[in-house]
Amino acid sequence: MRKKFILDSENDVTCEALFKRRRDIIKGIISAPFVLSTNFSNAENKHLIFQKDIKYSTNEQTNTIKQITSYNNFYELGSGKRDPMINANSLKTDNWKLTVDGLVEKPQTFDLDELIKKFTLEERIYRLRCVEAWSMVIPWIGFELNKLIKLVKPLSSAKYISFQSILDRENLPGQRREILQWPYREGLRIDEANNPLTILSVGLYGKVLPNQNGSPIRLVVPWKYGFKSIKSIVKISLVSEEPETSWNLETPNEYGFYSNVNPYVNHPRWSQKRERRIGEFRKRDTEMFNGYSEFVSSLYKGMDLKKFF
Ligand code: MTE
């Protein structure tokens, strides 16, 4: 995130199958569950079975798989935008386990494949707005985080959720340097975590998540800046106090706990008024809560969002 913004020079190539599928969504023709077959490289060739979501998905043009997998922030795999793609194979995802613990009645460690079978997977087409003032539209596959929270039976003292990414200094090139305090950490207030927009994603464009996008399981919180959407999660803990988060620990005056997309609160180094959709030339206006106000503004009633940035 410290690097200067680099203009993306790729063509905005769009897959025909997706155009057709988007038309079907608009017409309201839904065939679910179904499997989408799209040809792309660099992602594991494993299809997922999922249903399309209409309520929370945007109708905007999705970014291409090439754009989504070659312009990333994933500091464990390097701090350049292309590093996560180049070093993708350094992330080892076999036999992945996800532990959910803390202030809960039933702490559990899940085998990832079992976890995926437990919930109906949905496709959610979300905007992702990064703090460096670029954005993408991505067809995520996942399930609502609130379903997992319910499973472990939270105690009433659980007010926040803390997330932790993989720690593997031996294999992950970025973790051999102290660019951040490892492992990467993030947090949400429990009502934010329970909001139906908040998903755990296990795939995109119909297939399992490419490593550079946070395989095998990552968070997606579409009304917050991209860095809240923590990748390659190994642990989720329910806690009573606001948890520490990686970027807030690093530079507290630049990265707050809430980090809601807000065109009226600038980052010290970037204006947040406008954004560049990757693949487009002309900038667009940034919308409050990244355009998701109708679903989330009530979470922040009465809060001074300049203070709680
Ligand atoms: N998660 C981990 N573990 N490590 C990271 O460096 N970067 C964050 C977030 N999640 C990051 C992470 C940032 S800054 C952004 S913008 C998004 O991932 C980017 O997600 P994408 O590469 O899938 O678009």
Side-chain angles (χ1 to χ4, degrees):
M1 305 228 278
R2 293 210 170 124
K3 296 227 159 169
K4 267 211 215 136
F5 178 77
I6 306 161
L7 236 186
D8 191 72
S9 61
E10 277 158 18
N11 297 329
D12 192 15
V13 190
T14 307
C15 168
E16 207 181 305
L18 280 169
F19 257 135
K20 188 170 174 305
R21 190 168 56 87
R22 288 170 50 73
R23 274 208 313 269
D24 289 348
I25 293 173
I26 293 160
K27 282 194 221 145
I29 304 165
I30 316 153
S31 52
F34 77 111
V35 176
L36 171 74
S37 68
T38 321
N39 249 343
F40 55 84
S41 57
N42 204 26
E44 259 191 71
N45 209 20
K46 198 175 150 210
H47 293 274
L48 295 167
I49 294 174
F50 59 91
Q51 297 184 335
K52 286 192 256 191
D53 162 78
I54 295 183
K55 184 169 181 194
Y56 300 111
S57 288
T58 167
N59 278 331
E60 287 166 281
Q61 179 60 59
T62 46
N63 280 92
T64 65
I65 186 70
K66 194 172 170 200
Q67 291 164 339
I68 294 168
T69 55
S70 61
Y71 193 82
N72 301 98
N73 276 330
F74 195 174
Y75 274 53
E76 290 86 335
L77 296 176
S79 51
K81 292 283 181 277
R82 312 250 160 207
D83 291 346
M85 171 183 64
I86 294 164
N87 297 320
N89 289 339
S90 310
L91 176 67
K92 308 294 173 204
T93 59
D94 288 348
N95 302 316
W96 196 271
K97 304 274 187 282
L98 172 64
T99 298
V100 188
D101 66 7
L103 301 169
V104 299
E105 265 177 48
K106 289 187 159 184
Q108 284 174 70
T109 294
F110 299 93
D111 182 75
L112 192 84
D113 294 334
E114 274 170 35
L115 190 66
I116 290 175
K117 278 188 215 138
K118 266 189 204 302
F119 305 114
T120 305
L121 298 181
E122 278 181 53
E123 182 189 70
R124 298 274 181 99
I125 304 176
Y126 282 166
R127 293 172 217 107
L128 187 79
R129 166 61 156 85
C130 289
V131 76
E132 298 151 294
W134 51 270
S135 63
M136 289 202 214
V137 176
I138 302 178
W140 302 106
I141 313 277
F143 55 87
E144 291 178 9
L145 172 61
N146 59 50
K147 293 187 180 167
L148 181 63
I149 295 175
K150 215 184 248 164
L151 214 64
V152 295
K153 298 192 183 282
L155 303 176
S156 58
S157 50
K159 306 285 185 222
Y160 294 88
I161 315 262
S162 136
F163 303 84
Q164 205 174 293
S165 293
I166 180 176
L167 182 67
D168 180 4
R169 288 184 203 274
E170 202 179 310
N171 290 305
L172 295 168
Q175 289 189 336
R176 285 181 218 130
R177 292 190 296 141
E178 294 301 318
I179 335 168
L180 287 174
Q181 293 181 39
W182 304 113
Y184 195 96
R185 272 160 281 175
E186 256 309 332
L188 292 174
R189 220 170 54 190
I190 196 147
D191 55 348
E192 296 176 322
N194 278 326
N195 186 282
L197 275 180
T198 305
I199 58 166
L200 284 171
S201 170
V202 295
L204 58 83
Y205 266 128
K207 297 187 182 180
V208 300
L209 275 181
N211 283 2
Q212 56 267 49
N213 296 93
S215 188
I217 187 159
R218 57 97 48 93
L219 186 71
V220 186
V221 197
W223 72 96
K224 293 180 181 277
Y225 292 116
F227 64 90
K228 297 295 283 184
S229 291
I230 180 173
K231 296 176 168 180
S232 305
I233 304 169
V234 294
K235 192 159 143 177
I236 297 178
S237 304
L238 285 86
V239 296
S240 58
E241 306 285 325
E242 191 179 286
E244 286 182 335
T245 64
S246 287
W247 284 103
N248 182 255
L249 280 173
E250 190 62 25
T251 334
N253 65 320
E254 297 192 2
Y255 305 103
F257 177 77
Y258 284 92
S259 290
N260 292 318
V261 174
N262 188 338
Y264 310 107
V265 178
N266 287 330
H267 180 280
R269 287 180 286 137
W270 296 288
S271 162
Q272 299 296 9
K273 288 200 167 46
R274 312 198 80 203
E275 68 197 56
R276 193 186 305 279
R277 182 73 42 91
I278 296 297
E280 291 182 355
F281 184 69
R282 198 173 290 170
K283 286 189 178 175
R284 337 168 144 234
D285 288 341
T286 287
E287 290 182 65
M288 188 66 202
F289 297 119
N290 202 20
Y292 295 98
S293 288
E294 64 174 305
F295 304 114
V296 300
S297 59
S298 61
L299 296 172
Y300 309 103
K301 257 200 194 115
M303 275 176 75
D304 178 353
L305 295 180
K306 286 203 164 85
K307 188 171 166 210
F308 297 100
F309 65 95

